[in-house]
Amino acid sequence: MDQRVNGGVGAPIPHDSGHLHVSGGALYTDDIPEIRGTLHAAIGVSERAHARLKSVDLTKVAAAPGVVAVITAKDIPGKNDYGPVVADDPIFATALVQYHGQSLFAVAAKTVEEARRAARLGVIEYEDLKANLTAEAALKDQSFVLPTERLVRGNPRAAIATAPHRLAGKIRIGGQDQFYLEGMVAYVVPREDGTMLVYSSTQHPGEVQHQVAHALDRPAKDIVVECRRMGGGFGGKESQPGLFACVAALLAQKTRRPVKLRADRDDDMMITGKRHDFVTEYEVGFDDDGRILGVDFVLAGRCGYSADLSGSINDRAMLHSDNCYYLENVSILSFRCKTNTVSNTAFRGFGGPQGMIGIEAVIDDIARHLDKDPLDVRKANFYGVTERNVTHYRQTIVDNVIHDIVADLEKSADYHARREALRAFNAKSPFVKRGIALTPVKFGISFTATHLNQAGCLLHVYTDGSIMLNHGGTEMGQGLFTKVAQVVAEELSVDIGRIRITASDTSKVPNASATAASSGSDMNGKAAQAAARELKARLTAFAAAHFGMAPETVAFRKNQIHVGDQTVSFNELVKLAYFARVSLSATGFYKTPKIGYDRKTWSGMPFYYFCYGAAVSEVAIDTLTGENRLLRVDILHDVGKSLNPAIDMGQIEGGFVQGMGWLTMEELWWNDKGKLMTHAPSTYKIPVASDVPPQFNVRIYESGINAEDSIFRSKAVGEPPLMLAISTLHAIRDAIASTAGYALSPKLDAPATAEAILMSINELATRRAKVTAAAKAAVPA
């Protein structure tokens, strides 16, 4: 007899809101019915990248039709700042503007259109200053938002100097807009005695609570932030929703009326931060087999005008500059560059992908220098299982399965035969060239800021046997709420249909960390498990006492409780417990064990465990136009013991496609005045359904199990799959290399747009001609 409950751990059930998503029944912040008297807000922004404010005349703004209130920094009773770590993010600029799109003032009007029109009527006089727009310009001026960091292991300079082979290179890695389908939005409702209810589309309600409280000069207890769901976040709603919530709250406080601020897509993209773009330089020494003996990295991340989360993001780039490879002698120098552009922020992977791209470029260049298959060089440099298994930050890897994953995928994807077939195709095809690459992923799971690795949960059981679940995580479409409910269903042995998942709410679970770092299910699942076990322990003790049996005879099975030979339904036991005055509410708390590292020495255990995966991508490029087409992708990814294979599969597929977009088509471009020109879908290209490869073979690594005591031995799945798309970039490199007979390594920056591919082909042809000419010149006449 099957004792499994419906919707327990491991069941591939649909997303809890899936039926609402497709029917239009899912309520997002902008869908909340507006209270009578609601005003609509808009932000007036700077039209200069770097300038002193000589005068700000808002007379026309205040006189515009429908306008009820206008505010500037002078109207802020508390702190004019929403910086998550460093106090360098003013809600409204005062004497100085530092990027094109920085907020200067805000207006509240009776309609959205009236507010937006009025916000464009400000008369601003500027005194222009020099603007640094790129990481290179910031480096030249030594302009940084945070101190420069260096991590060193061994003696890389000596290892490089004495190595049989040496190479140096440089790659530019572009940024990426989060392009969440639901833009930034906040709806603030004033309550009695100066308190506020804030509906915010945010990954971090607790952060928004504190940001609003500080701006209003109120204690946190007076501000409640609620978020039922977001229409996407991808890191962009971790720290930056605070600006929009603060502006709406300040206007609500001034007018004593509800205020909604929903940013127009163009304004959203101009105002909010992106994935950090990087310039990565390297020098490497290696042996005849391609094994790295020493490597020196210089990472320059464009942070924008303020620190935001750039410290942790650039740290993670340093910590992931190894990917799956053992680096015995390594130096990583990290510059956190201050530029007069929007403050860059979190994005899926949080710096890890940028770090990985650097080392993968190194591996590929080594392979082409030695005329080897890049996969062979990758495998030669893999971490070992029992030796060569300590990272450059001194963490011992205890769960390395990358050898098994790559061996499995290499065979199932028929990698070697396809590689030979592609080379034969390219030899006969003059204009269309194909390329293939297999790249691995190792991604560390935990917040690198150790104190953030904690979570809470609130669980109620009602007398009819139904259950209300609340935790500190937020739902942005990734299925977190579903997975946590599955944990509770499994622990209490009840069908998931009994459980109602409720909105993230700072008045229910306080001080929650952001839903980020791929740790949502790990931490909130464990907190929910603790709450469920507390309730189960109470019910077990009550059942044993009520029926006169030993506690160990009590068993919860499929909506029933067995006590010796007696059986009662879950509903019956709950009702009996209620009449016996047993508490049917519990809280749960979890803090990730073992982790912690010394940032001064860059050593310790910043990550609880690692996720692994690998992907094979096959592409075709048109050498006349630079266009590329992704033809086939094979993925094998480790999620441990999956909490929900259906949701995990969706995350793997979606993460890959988003990563492919970043590395092949999503180009952010600022003009020479510092204005972002790719600020709408008309100019910023993201992947659509037709960009998904016709052959998309995705498998979950069935042997996966977490070596650590994670929630039911599962592994995180939010961020790691994005980095599988690095295989696409390297497949394009492989196709470009064929244009020079595979004799030279292409210089290809990301994203590999049609323009970038053509430039790479042309540069390679010029370099090949020079090499050929030099070789001829060296031959005696």
Side-chain angles (χ1 to χ4, degrees):
M1 182 179 176
D2 184 14
Q3 296 298 318
R4 297 278 298 170
V5 297
N6 294 326
V9 165
I13 63 173
H15 190 289
D16 71 283
S17 297
H19 63 295
L20 300 175
H21 292 154
V22 298
S23 64
L27 289 179
Y28 296 87
T29 300
D30 195 36
D31 300 320
I32 296 169
E34 293 171 5
I35 297 170
R36 184 174 59 191
T38 292
L39 299 173
H40 297 270
I43 298 174
V45 300
S46 167
E47 294 183 354
R48 298 290 191 277
H50 193 203
R52 292 189 182 91
L53 289 173
K54 297 183 70 176
S55 67
V56 178
D57 184 354
L58 303 180
T59 306
K60 292 182 180 179
V61 178
V67 170
V68 175
V70 180
I71 58 172
T72 65
K74 295 177 181 178
D75 298 291
I76 300 175
K79 295 180 180 178
N80 180 24
D81 181 75
Y82 69 100
V85 180
V86 179
D88 61 353
D89 273 307
I91 298 168
F92 297 121
T94 51
L96 183 72
V97 294
Q98 298 187 74
Y99 78 97
H100 195 297
Q102 186 169 10
S103 54
L104 302 178
F105 64 91
V107 56
K110 295 177 181 178
T111 69
V112 174
E113 185 176 350
E114 287 173 337
R116 290 178 178 175
R117 286 182 181 277
R120 283 159 171 74
L121 298 178
V123 179
I124 317 297
E125 187 179 359
Y126 303 92
E127 179 187 334
D128 288 325
L129 302 171
K130 177 188 174 184
N132 283 331
L133 303 178
T134 65
E136 289 98 330
L139 280 173
K140 185 177 180 181
D141 284 355
Q142 293 291 287
S143 175
F144 307 116
V145 295
L146 292 165
T148 299
E149 300 287 347
R150 185 190 289 274
L151 188 162
V152 179
R153 175 164 76 171
N155 191 339
R157 296 313 312 166
I160 294 169
T162 58
H165 306 276
R166 282 177 284 172
L167 288 173
K170 180 177 182 178
I171 182 170
R172 290 180 173 85
I173 305 161
Q176 185 181 23
D177 189 87
Q178 292 82 0
F179 214 93
Y180 24 68
L181 291 183
E182 175 205 31
M184 289 289 191
V185 57
Y187 184 34
V188 180
V189 180
R191 289 177 161 180
E192 64 180 23
D193 202 22
T195 62
M196 295 277 181
L197 172 60
V198 180
Y199 296 101
S200 174
S201 181
T202 176
Q203 295 172 235
H204 199 176
E207 183 91 74
V208 171
Q209 178 190 31
H210 287 287
Q211 289 166 327
V212 171
H214 293 157
L216 300 183
D217 197 25
R218 307 285 301 198
K221 67 177 178 60
D222 290 346
I223 312 299
V224 173
V225 178
E226 181 179 311
C227 178
R228 173 57 184 89
R229 60 174 62 82
M230 288 163 275
F234 309 114
K237 294 180 180 177
E238 183 173 348
S239 64
Q240 301 206 353
L243 170 63
F244 302 89
C246 286
V247 168
L250 288 162
L251 285 165
Q253 186 183 60
K254 181 170 183 173
T255 62
R256 298 302 303 157
R257 291 167 66 175
V259 174
K260 179 187 288 186
L261 172 51
R262 176 173 55 83
D264 174 82
R265 175 65 65 179
D266 298 82
D267 291 340
D268 190 316
M269 292 186 72
M270 298 274 283
I271 294 171
T272 62
K274 327 296 178 194
R275 183 188 297 281
H276 290 61
D277 49 300
F278 269 58
V279 178
T280 296
E281 298 183 50
Y282 77 84
E283 186 177 0
V284 63
F286 50 97
D287 64 18
D288 293 341
D289 295 321
R291 180 169 283 190
I292 294 172
L293 303 177
V295 62
D296 190 340
F297 284 111
V298 178
L299 312 180
R302 177 165 66 164
C303 301
Y305 82 98
S306 68
D308 192 77
L309 301 173
S310 291
S312 294
I313 289 166
N314 283 268
D315 286 358
R316 188 173 279 264
M318 297 172 71
L319 296 175
H320 283 81
S321 289
D322 58 338
N323 194 9
C324 293
Y325 312 115
Y326 178 71
L327 304 177
E328 185 173 9
N329 299 286
V330 57
S331 170
I332 305 169
L333 183 63
S334 170
F335 294 106
R336 290 94 198 275
C337 299
K338 179 171 182 173
T339 55
N340 296 114
T341 52
V342 65
S343 186
N344 284 327
T345 191
F347 198 135
R348 199 175 195 170
F350 204 77
Q354 294 95 313
M356 289 184 188
I357 285 177
I359 188 64
E360 291 299 339
V362 169
I363 292 285
D364 202 67
D365 285 349
I366 290 172
R368 298 192 189 283
H369 179 82
L370 296 174
D371 193 23
K372 290 180 176 290
D373 184 338
L375 178 58
D376 292 337
V377 177
R378 289 187 166 95
K379 291 195 288 187
N381 283 283
F382 278 165
Y383 279 106
V385 176
T386 58
E387 59 180 7
R388 289 169 50 90
N389 63 342
V390 179
T391 68
H392 54 302
Y393 45 89
R394 314 311 198 262
Q395 177 168 345
T396 300
I397 300 173
V398 298
D399 59 354
N400 188 0
V401 294
I402 197 61
H403 299 270
D404 293 339
I405 287 175
V406 167
D408 185 324
L409 186 64
E410 192 177 350
K411 182 178 180 181
S412 66
D414 200 17
Y415 170 80
H416 293 287
R418 287 167 59 198
R419 184 170 184 267
E420 290 306 312
L422 289 184
R423 292 197 162 207
F425 171 88
N426 289 339
K428 298 177 181 179
S429 177
F431 304 122
V432 175
K433 302 292 185 181
R434 292 187 176 184
I436 192 170
L438 189 161
T439 59
V441 167
K442 174 183 68 68
F443 190 79
I445 302 300
S446 290
F447 286 98
T448 52
T450 305
H451 70 278
L452 296 177
N453 293 283
Q454 57 176 295
C457 174
L458 177 64
L459 196 61
H460 298 324
V461 178
Y462 296 101
T463 55
D464 64 354
S466 62
I467 299 167
M468 191 280 287
L469 167 63
N470 190 272
H471 56 80
T474 55
E475 176 62 52
M476 61 197 92
Q478 84 279 37
L480 171 63
F481 279 21
T482 306
K483 285 186 171 182
V484 177
Q486 287 181 267
V487 170
V488 173
E490 187 75 21
E491 288 292 337
L492 296 179
S493 297
V494 298
D495 293 340
I496 199 167
R498 292 178 178 269
I499 302 170
R500 172 61 62 190
I501 310 159
T502 58
S504 306
D505 187 328
T506 58
S507 67
K508 293 179 179 176
V509 176
N511 311 316
S513 295
T515 303
S518 300
S519 60
S521 295
D522 282 2
M523 298 199 308
N524 293 289
K526 275 289 192 180
Q529 182 182 60
R533 287 182 174 180
E534 172 63 27
L535 279 171
K536 187 175 181 179
R538 288 185 207 156
L539 290 171
T540 297
F542 165 72
H546 182 79
F547 291 104
M549 300 292 290
E552 55 268 24
T553 66
V554 179
F556 286 62
R557 297 195 194 104
K558 204 173 184 179
N559 303 298
Q560 294 183 327
I561 290 81
H562 301 267
V563 189
D565 296 331
Q566 302 178 74
T567 301
V568 295
S569 69
F570 184 79
N571 294 14
E572 291 172 315
L573 183 65
V574 166
K575 191 165 288 186
L576 289 170
Y578 166 73
F579 280 108
R581 295 183 294 177
V582 174
S583 172
L584 297 174
S585 178
T587 60
F589 180 78
Y590 175 74
K591 63 177 182 179
T592 308
K594 296 186 177 182
I595 57 173
Y597 78 114
D598 183 348
R599 197 168 173 279
K600 293 180 180 178
T601 61
W602 289 94
S603 62
M605 185 176 175
F607 306 118
Y608 190 34
Y609 63 86
F610 297 95
C611 292
Y612 300 88
V616 178
S617 287
E618 180 180 338
V619 304
I621 65 169
D622 186 326
T623 59
L624 300 179
T625 66
E627 294 173 281
N628 77 82
R629 180 70 58 86
L630 183 57
L631 303 175
R632 175 176 169 181
V633 172
D634 296 81
I635 291 172
L636 183 59
H637 195 73
D638 171 30
V639 298
K641 302 296 288 185
S642 176
L643 293 175
N644 185 319
I647 285 176
D648 286 350
M649 188 67 80
Q651 286 293 293
I652 296 167
E653 293 171 348
F656 176 89
V657 171
Q658 189 172 55
M660 177 266 291
W662 168 45
L663 295 174
T664 64
M665 64 182 72
E666 298 185 41
E667 185 174 26
L668 293 163
W669 188 77
W670 284 260
N671 66 16
D672 59 2
K673 302 296 184 183
K675 181 179 180 180
L676 178 67
M677 303 304 291
T678 50
H679 52 73
S682 58
T683 51
Y684 185 78
K685 168 69 173 170
I686 66 170
V688 294
S690 59
D691 293 307
V692 175
Q695 284 186 269
F696 199 17
N697 307 314
V698 182
R699 289 187 294 133
I700 289 174
Y701 180 55
E702 295 295 338
S703 301
I705 185 168
N706 200 327
E708 300 295 345
D709 183 25
S710 63
I711 186 68
F712 288 100
R713 299 287 176 173
S714 64
K715 285 189 175 183
V717 72
E719 293 170 296
L722 181 135
M723 285 142 277
L724 296 168
I726 295 173
S727 60
T728 304
L729 182 67
H730 283 273
I732 293 173
R733 279 177 62 114
D734 187 53
I736 294 171
S738 73
T739 66
Y742 299 100
L744 298 170
S745 188
K747 297 183 185 299
L748 179 66
D749 294 331
T753 61
E755 182 181 21
I757 290 171
L758 276 182
M759 289 173 64
S760 179
I761 291 171
N762 293 337
E763 187 279 333
L764 194 62
T766 301
R767 192 158 26 111
R768 186 186 190 191
K770 290 180 179 178
V771 170
T772 303
K776 288 182 179 178
V779 176

